[in-house]
Amino acid sequence: MAKVLFIGNGAREHSMVENLARDSELFTVGKARNPGIMKLSKDYIVVDKFDDFDALKAFVEKNKPDFAVIGPEEPLSLGVVDFLETLGVKSFGPVKELAKLETSKEWTRMLMVKYNVPGCPKHQTFKSMNGIKEYIEELNNENGFVVKPDGLTGGKGVKVSGEHMHSVEDGVVYCEEVLRDHPSVVIEDKLVGEEFSLMGITDGVTVWESPPIQDHKRAFNGDTGPNTGGMGSYTTGKLLQFMKQVDLDQAYEITEKMAQAIYKETGKKYVGVMYGGFIVTKDGVKLIEYNARFGDPEAMNILPIMKTNFSKVAEACVNGTLKDVPVEYEDAATVCRYVVPKGYPDTVEGSGEELDMSGVDDSNVVVHYASIDEQDGKLITSKSRSVSFTGIDKDVEKAQQFSLQACQAVKGSVRFRTDIGTKDLLQRRIDHMKSLGRTFD
Ligand code: GLY
């Protein structure tokens, strides 16, 4: 059994650990307790910050892991992989310079342009306000515009015209705000279509892609309300109904060319996850952004159905032998829903309260703990998403029913979206693509 140092403590990380625990021993460093991960780990410490390198060094010396697996983006951006390398521990996760794939929107767009990677929307990067108003006016006269701060913003920095900004002036004011805290701002064409996520696992040369997944960021049914960390996601197996094979092929090509571009630019191989956020538009597939880790909740859709043990995949990535370890998934639909405290994400009520899951039939769902703790045998919520339930079945409708039934059986001051993965929602996605001129046989 491999000994794996694991970094992270959310529901995404719980799903990673669950798969890793099939055939490895886990030694975990989290920023909070996670009762699910704690049960599966041989050792677990809580640190105040992921770059507490003294604590990390002591933990590595004590447990002597064979390699490390990093869950969230924060430790990547803080150089935890670089530090572990100095201790002789290789990681599934990119070094800080390559984690710019997520932390620098400017770098990603620069690579796409310099190395002719397809799927790059019209955009410009600005380091000062010079020319910003004119560029926003130009895009506003076409499809609209998107403003992206350069740097990590916890998923809250990107603003879109027509949704968060309602005039050129709003865009200019937001860019001024961004440039006070960030080195640059990227302004892009607003893309219209249906979004999907692909988790590309890579050793820097070979890339194995996950099935496509659709995430739901808005708080309420019908994609209304404020953006959240993600309320749930579904995959139907090989293709989502609003897509065609050509869309998936284009997305694969984009990620493969990006992995090559990173190597050409830096001379370093990107190891870990290249999570592409794509959109099918009337003009084909475009890349919205990359993240340098698994998606949350998308990880909960794919890790439970990953047939190849994730520890073998991660080990092959750190050793540069991924071409010999094809990453295969069961041909199944999965629907993941998060149960969140009432009022999330704005005014959270119900934090610090008991969540009673005794009525949940867990025979058809996989349960992953997020911001929740166990005290005296009781599960206690905090301010963020509490727990996720992933239903799995050949049939997406059954998978969504399993996930829904589990959410409905939870007692506590919580709520969840009921529409994710339903027939109605899937049809709305197809209708949306038809309204953009796409035909389906
Ligand atoms: N699914 C959104 C994210 O992981 O950032």
Side-chain angles (χ1 to χ4, degrees), residues 192 428-438 440:
V192 180
R428 278 212 312 274
R429 305 302 188 220
I430 297 170
D431 293 344
H432 184 208
M433 288 313 299
K434 283 185 179 163
S435 76
L436 301 178
R438 174 158 282 207
F440 292 88

Side-chain angles (χ1 to χ4, degrees), residues 71-103:
E73 64 275 22
E74 195 190 347
L76 301 173
S77 72
L78 292 170
V80 165
V81 172
D82 310 58
F83 177 71
L84 290 172
E85 256 179 30
T86 68
L87 303 180
V89 178
K90 292 191 211 167
S91 297
F92 178 84
V95 293
K96 186 174 177 178
E97 183 188 355
L98 306 194
K100 282 196 298 186
L101 188 67
E102 171 160 358
T103 59

Side-chain angles (χ1 to χ4, degrees), residues 132-367:
I132 281 190
K133 182 161 184 281
E134 293 73 14
Y135 193 59
I136 290 181
E137 272 168 355
E138 182 184 324
L139 295 185
N140 200 43
N141 289 333
E142 298 166 10
N143 303 320
F145 60 94
V146 179
V147 176
K148 296 181 169 180
D150 197 53
L152 280 184
T153 55
K156 296 196 174 68
V158 176
K159 290 199 177 178
V160 181
S161 66
E163 291 180 33
H164 316 98
M165 302 173 291
H166 298 282
S167 63
V168 170
E169 192 50 32
D170 281 358
V172 171
V173 168
Y174 184 51
C175 288
E176 278 168 351
E177 195 183 305
V178 168
L179 283 175
R180 278 198 285 275
D181 299 330
H182 297 83
S184 57
V185 62
V186 183
I187 303 176
E188 301 190 350
D189 191 18
K190 178 178 171 180
L191 302 169
V192 180
E194 281 296 326
E195 294 184 24
F196 66 97
S197 310
L198 279 183
M199 306 296 126
I201 295 180
T202 185
D203 60 359
V205 179
T206 303
V207 183
W208 299 115
E209 293 284 10
S210 73
I213 310 153
Q214 192 169 46
D215 181 18
H216 299 75
K217 286 205 179 346
R218 299 296 187 129
F220 305 119
N221 281 359
D223 298 319
T224 56
N227 272 339
T228 67
M231 293 299 291
S233 46
Y234 70 94
T235 178
T236 54
K238 299 215 166 5
L239 273 181
L240 299 172
Q241 282 90 337
F242 61 81
M243 303 173 70
K244 296 185 177 186
Q245 186 59 43
V246 63
D247 302 322
L248 208 49
D249 294 344
Q250 281 176 3
Y252 290 169
E253 186 192 351
I254 292 170
T255 297
E256 270 171 19
K257 291 211 159 131
M258 274 304 274
Q260 290 160 8
I262 292 170
Y263 185 64
K264 284 183 201 148
E265 181 69 14
T266 65
K268 293 182 184 149
K269 290 184 183 150
Y270 184 104
V271 176
V273 182
M274 293 176 71
Y275 154 14
F278 297 97
I279 183 164
V280 189
T281 73
K282 66 178 170 42
D283 306 316
V285 167
K286 307 278 181 203
L287 177 87
I288 299 174
E289 64 178 13
Y290 274 110
N291 294 303
R293 35 82 194 173
F294 283 118
D296 184 345
E298 291 93 329
M300 283 85 92
N301 292 95
I302 61 161
L303 269 305
I305 59 164
M306 190 189 277
K307 284 198 285 191
T308 326
N309 285 352
F310 179 39
S311 76
K312 294 284 174 291
V313 174
E315 194 169 17
C317 284
V318 302
N319 291 329
T321 56
L322 190 63
K323 72 171 178 357
D324 302 327
V325 184
V327 183
E328 292 177 354
Y329 297 90
E330 285 165 39
D331 185 13
T334 61
V335 177
C336 173
R337 279 189 177 82
Y338 259 116
V339 165
V340 302
K342 272 194 184 144
Y344 170 82
D346 294 334
T347 0
V348 178
E349 307 153 29
S351 128
E353 289 186 15
E354 186 184 353
L355 203 70
D356 177 359
M357 301 203 335
S358 57
V360 174
D361 171 5
D362 59 10
S363 54
N364 291 311
V365 288
V366 192
V367 184

Side-chain angles (χ1 to χ4, degrees), residues 46-66:
V46 176
V47 290
D48 285 337
K49 45 195 188 79
F50 281 122
D51 58 351
D52 182 343
F53 291 140
D54 289 339
L56 205 51
K57 185 164 186 263
F59 197 68
V60 165
E61 283 171 353
K62 178 179 169 203
N63 292 307
K64 301 186 177 40
D66 297 311

